[in-house]
Amino acid sequence: MIDKIMMLRKKEKTDWWNEISSEEQKSIEKGIQDADNGKLTSHSNVKQIYEKWL
């Protein structure tokens, strides 16, 4: 049991950024850049657009 807890703790310390693909990293970086440039859509607008499918 202690070994399992220690493995979970060790995994918790690893940086997830290094575990995702380069495509995922690029997508996240683009999203951050878009947000920094004010290219955002509010949650309420998105809900209105996709309401018929939800």
Side-chain angles (χ1 to χ4, degrees), residues 7-8 10 14 17 24 27 34 36-38 40 42 44-45 47-48 51 54:
M7 287 182 69
L8 285 172
K10 183 179 177 182
T14 59
W17 183 259
E24 290 170 314
S27 179
D34 286 346
D36 288 344
N37 292 328
L40 302 171
S42 71
S44 59
N45 285 348
K47 279 178 54 177
Q48 287 176 351
E51 186 174 32
L54 297 177

Side-chain angles (χ1 to χ4, degrees), residues 21-50:
S21 70
S22 61
E23 292 83 16
E24 290 170 314
Q25 290 176 352
K26 288 176 188 174
S27 179
I28 291 169
E29 288 170 346
K30 184 181 180 328
I32 291 170
Q33 185 178 28
D34 286 346
D36 288 344
N37 292 328
K39 297 180 181 176
L40 302 171
T41 303
S42 71
H43 179 70
S44 59
N45 285 348
V46 172
K47 279 178 54 177
Q48 287 176 351
I49 293 169
Y50 296 101

Side-chain angles (χ1 to χ4, degrees), residues 5-14:
I5 293 170
M6 294 302 290
M7 287 182 69
L8 285 172
R9 182 75 173 123
K10 183 179 177 182
K11 187 174 183 178
E12 197 176 82
K13 290 182 181 179
T14 59

